[in-house]
Amino acid sequence: MKNIEDKNKVFAPNNYGFLFKHHHDAICVMNLDGYIVYSNLVASELFKYSDDELLNLHYDKLISSEEFETFNYYLGKVVEGETHEFESVVNDKKGGNVELQVIMVPNEIEGQIVNISLYMKDITEQRKVKLELELVHKDLCESFIENNRDPILLLDLNATIVLANSAFSRLLGWRKENLEGFHILRCPSIPPHLVEQMRDYYHHVVTSQSNSDLTSNSELSTLETIRVTNEEKAYHMMLSITPINDQCGKVCNWAVHLRDITVQKEAEKSLLRAEKLLAIGQIAAGVAHEIRNPLQSLKGLTQLISTSRDGVVDYDLCLNVMIGDLKQIETFVDEFALLGRTQLESYKMKDMTRLLQDVIQSLKTHTIVNDVHIEFEYDEVPSIWCEEMLLKQAFFNVIQNGIEAMETGGTLYIGIKCYGDRLEVNVIDHGVGISKERIQKLGEPFYSNKEKGFGLGLMLTYKIIDQHHGKVTIQSEVGLGTHVSISLPISSEGCPLLG
C-alpha cells in the first residue's frame, strides 16, 4: 500500500502543473482507465473546456468517431510500454474538429506503468494548407492530362482508371464511363491477347519504381503495343507508364501515356515492302543473267550438233563445253541453296588450325596457277563449335578471292590468334585492292569485284560467319592489297554458342 501511495504522490496534479503549466504544447495525462487527471492551459484552450471540465473527462468524449479505432490501437501499444507518434482528430466542446499531431508516452515507476502522457500539437492549419496545395496539384495534373494531345489514363495505386482524357476518347472512341472506375487490365481498348503483356509491363514498372531503378532501365521506359477502338480498328501505340508524386514525394498515381505511331509503322511496312520488292527484282535479274549465259551456250551447241553432218563437228569438244556450262549452273544453284539455309544443323567441336590447313590444301592447284605462295602463321588455339563444311566454304571464298586478286603473284598471309574470348583469322593479300565505294557493296547479292562470278561468294561468307555469331571486317587500299579479318566466339565448357 505504501508503494502505491508513494507513486500517487509522485504523479499528483500539483506536480504535473510544475512540469507542464507553461509548456507551449497541449498536454494531458490519463490514468490507465482513460480518464484525464491533468491538463495544462494550452489543452483547455484547444478543446474549449475549462480545467475543471477536462478533469476526469474520459478520452472517448474527445476523440472523433472516425479516429476512435486508430486511437485505441496506439493506446493499447502504449499501455504495453511503447511510445508512439501519430495524427488524430478530436472534437472540441463546441463540436468543431481539431487535427492533432499526438505523441503518446507511458509513465513508469520501478518498471510499472502508472499513467499516460499525451503531447498534442494543433496541425489544423497545416493540414488545411497541405490539402489546398494537394488540390492545386491535383487540378494542375488533371488539367495537363485533359488538355494533352496524346491519349492518357490516370491510375490510382490499385491500377484503377480514375481519369481518361478527351484525346483517348477522340482517338479510340471509348467513352469515359467505359473506362473510369475499371482496372487498367479491364480497359476495353486492350486486345485480349495483349492483356498479359500489359500486366507484365505494369508489374515491372511498379517494381522498378519501388526499387528506385526505373530511370536506369531503358528497356522498361516504353512498350510498343496495339490498342483497338470501339469499332475494332487497331492502332499501333508507344505506351509508357510514369509515376506521379504528391507533395511529399511519394507516388500517388500512375499516368499511362499512349502515342499513336500507326502512320510511322505503316511507313516502315511500305519501305520494307519496297526494299523486299527491290531485292526480289535484283535477285530475279541476277538469276536470269547468270543462268542465261550457260543456257544460251548449251542451246547453241545442241542446235549445232542436231543440224551438223557427220565429221563436221568435234563432238568431244562440244560435250566438254556443255559439261562446263552445266557445272557453272550447278555451282550457282548450290551457292544459291546455301543462302536459303536459315540455321546451322550439325555443329561440332573443330580444330580451326586443321580446318584452315584443309582449305589451303584444297586451293593448292589454284596457288600454283596464280604463282601465289601462302604463308600460314598460327598459335595454339582452342577448338570452337561450328558447322565444319560451312566454315570451310566461307574461308575458301575469302582465300580464293585473295589469290585471284594477286594478278602478278606474291605471298598471301593467313594468320590465326586468340584475343580474349574470341578467335581471329586474318587473310592479307598484296593484290589490286578495292576502293571504298566498292567495299560498301561487298556482300550484296550479284555484286562481284571479278569479271567472272556470281557475287554470291562473299554474301555467303557473311551469312555463314553471322550464323556462327562472328564478324567480318574488310580493309583495303587500291594498289596495295586487302586485309580480311574474321572474328569468331570461343565456346565455353563444351556448350555451343550457336542457336
Side-chain angles (χ1 to χ4, degrees), residues 282 286 290 401 434-450 452-459:
Q282 289 177 335
E290 298 299 340
N401 284 346
I434 312 167
S435 67
K436 291 182 180 180
E437 294 76 16
R438 302 186 94 178
I439 284 180
Q440 293 175 356
K441 293 186 177 182
L442 291 178
E444 293 182 6
F446 306 108
Y447 179 84
S448 177
N449 201 40
K450 299 178 288 186
K452 294 182 179 180
F454 316 123
L456 293 180
L458 265 181
M459 183 181 181

Side-chain angles (χ1 to χ4, degrees), residues 31 52 135 160 175 215 230 251 268 303 305 386 418 428 479:
N31 62 25
D52 292 337
L135 289 173
T160 300
R175 298 167 63 88
T215 56
N230 56 345
V251 177
E268 288 176 1
Q303 287 176 343
I305 291 172
C386 65
C418 277
I428 303 173

Side-chain angles (χ1 to χ4, degrees), residues 269-295:
K269 284 182 180 180
S270 298
L271 180 61
L272 182 61
R273 192 180 300 114
E275 289 176 348
K276 285 181 177 179
L277 289 172
L278 178 62
I280 291 170
Q282 289 177 335
I283 291 172
V287 169
H289 173 75
E290 298 299 340
I291 292 181
R292 182 186 291 114
N293 290 340
L295 282 179

Side-chain angles (χ1 to χ4, degrees), residues 46-104:
L46 182 64
F47 300 132
K48 296 181 173 57
Y49 284 93
S50 67
D51 292 343
D52 292 337
E53 288 174 326
L54 278 176
L55 197 62
N56 295 320
L57 186 69
H58 198 273
Y59 74 85
D60 61 6
K61 303 297 183 183
L62 295 172
I63 303 302
S64 171
S65 58
E66 292 83 4
E67 301 288 329
F68 201 74
E69 185 177 345
T70 302
F71 190 91
N72 276 340
Y73 168 78
Y74 287 114
L75 179 60
K77 292 292 184 181
V78 173
V79 169
E80 293 174 358
E82 300 177 8
T83 296
H84 282 280
E85 182 176 347
F86 58 96
E87 293 183 2
S88 187
V89 179
V90 299
N91 300 318
D92 62 25
K93 185 178 180 180
K94 296 182 179 180
N97 289 336
V98 182
E99 297 187 42
L100 300 175
Q101 182 181 28
V102 181
I103 300 176
M104 194 181 290

